[in-house]
Amino acid sequence: MLLTILICTVAAFVAGFIDAIAGGGGLITMPALLLTGVPPHMALGTGKLSAFLGSGVALLNFARSGLVLWRAAAVGVGFSLLGSYFGTLAALRMDSALLGKVLVALLPLGMAATLLPRRERRERHAVPEGARLWILTPLVCFLVGMYDGFFGPGTGSFLIIAFHYVLCMRLLAASATAKVLNLASNFGSLLTFLWSGKVWFALGLPMAAGSIAGNWLGSRMAIRAGGEAVRRFLGISLGLLFATLAYQYFIR
């Protein structure tokens, strides 16, 4: 039991650090929970507890630094939750293997677009306006939310990429604003798992402490280092996602 707590707490710290900057922390915590013998549903619920508390700390750091674009987040959060609902319904009727294989094929393109060195383009706006705010923001949040409900891994990373390339946010602002939607999604999921009794508090609370520390440190690094740190850690996050999906859908 003590070894399980130690392994999962360290995993939650590393996951929180990466998640605060670029998303994708669940790609670290979930394998750690499952490999230490935690049952799948209990692993999901316990992981949501640590992710929710940790992402709250990261959001607080970003908000204090004035990096969160609250107007865009307010417009998109309802559509994100609605998309998640429809994605969950779709998951009950469709084979997720096809989506997984499509993502494996597309992820290298997304990684290349994100990792290629470039200067921040001048047309990147601080705040989405007009059609970007009222049409593209709801559309992006709905589609990524639907992916989250249907499949899930790497949702935070996809939000950052979509905010950056579709809504023309600067990378650091995209990362900060994505935390609002991540927090809302984690909260909804956590309530469901709590209601079902699928949260193991003896393990989840130490993991939450590790996640809080990792998210605090990661968000502080992102604020100091700027968009280049987000770009580098997006590469790590997307690389983990690519390896996970390639193993699950092509190797296993």
Side-chain angles (χ1 to χ4, degrees):
M1 177 63 183
L2 289 177
L3 182 60
T4 297
I5 292 175
L6 178 62
I7 292 173
C8 291
T9 299
V10 172
F13 172 82
V14 176
F17 180 83
I18 293 175
D19 200 56
I21 301 173
L27 299 169
I28 296 173
T29 53
M30 280 306 299
L33 285 161
L34 294 173
L35 287 173
T36 52
V38 180
H41 288 93
M42 192 68 73
L44 286 169
T46 304
K48 284 297 179 186
L49 175 63
S50 66
F52 171 69
L53 295 175
S55 60
V57 170
L59 175 58
L60 183 61
N61 269 342
F62 284 125
R64 285 176 174 172
S65 299
L67 293 168
V68 179
L69 306 184
W70 291 106
R71 193 179 183 195
V75 169
V77 67
F79 288 94
S80 178
L81 295 174
L82 186 65
S84 180
Y85 170 73
F86 282 108
T88 302
L89 291 182
L92 298 175
R93 295 171 171 81
M94 296 174 62
D95 180 14
S96 62
L98 177 61
L99 179 61
K101 291 178 179 178
V102 170
L103 285 173
V104 171
L106 293 179
L107 270 173
L109 298 177
M111 292 172 66
T114 303
L115 295 177
L116 286 176
R118 67 176 66 78
R119 297 174 60 184
E120 286 279 8
R121 290 157 51 186
R122 290 184 178 181
E123 63 267 27
R124 296 287 163 195
H125 301 289
V127 182
E129 297 177 350
R132 282 195 182 94
L133 178 64
W134 300 111
I135 298 176
L136 290 181
T137 297
L139 181 61
V140 163
C141 291
F142 179 82
L143 291 176
V144 178
M146 192 169 182
Y147 165 80
D148 192 20
F150 186 87
F151 198 67
T155 297
S157 301
F158 288 135
L159 273 174
I160 295 171
I161 291 172
F163 283 174
H164 181 58
Y165 287 104
V166 179
L167 302 183
C168 294
M169 294 181 186
R170 296 183 178 90
L171 264 177
L172 190 54
S175 179
T177 306
K179 298 297 176 291
V180 179
L181 304 177
N182 288 153
L183 189 68
S185 176
N186 285 334
F187 180 68
S189 296
L190 178 60
L191 287 180
T192 304
F193 285 117
L194 285 171
W195 181 262
S196 303
K198 298 299 183 182
V199 177
W200 187 4
F201 285 98
L203 177 59
L205 292 178
M207 286 184 66
S211 179
I212 288 170
N215 271 276
W216 183 87
L217 188 62
S219 58
R220 296 306 301 170
M221 172 176 282
I223 292 167
R224 288 196 303 269
E228 189 57 34
V230 178
R231 182 172 288 112
R232 289 175 181 174
F233 278 91
L234 265 175
I236 295 173
S237 179
L238 293 175
L240 286 171
L241 180 60
F242 178 79
T244 301
L245 295 180
Y247 172 77
Q248 183 171 348
Y249 293 107
F250 288 95
I251 299 174
R252 190 175 64 179

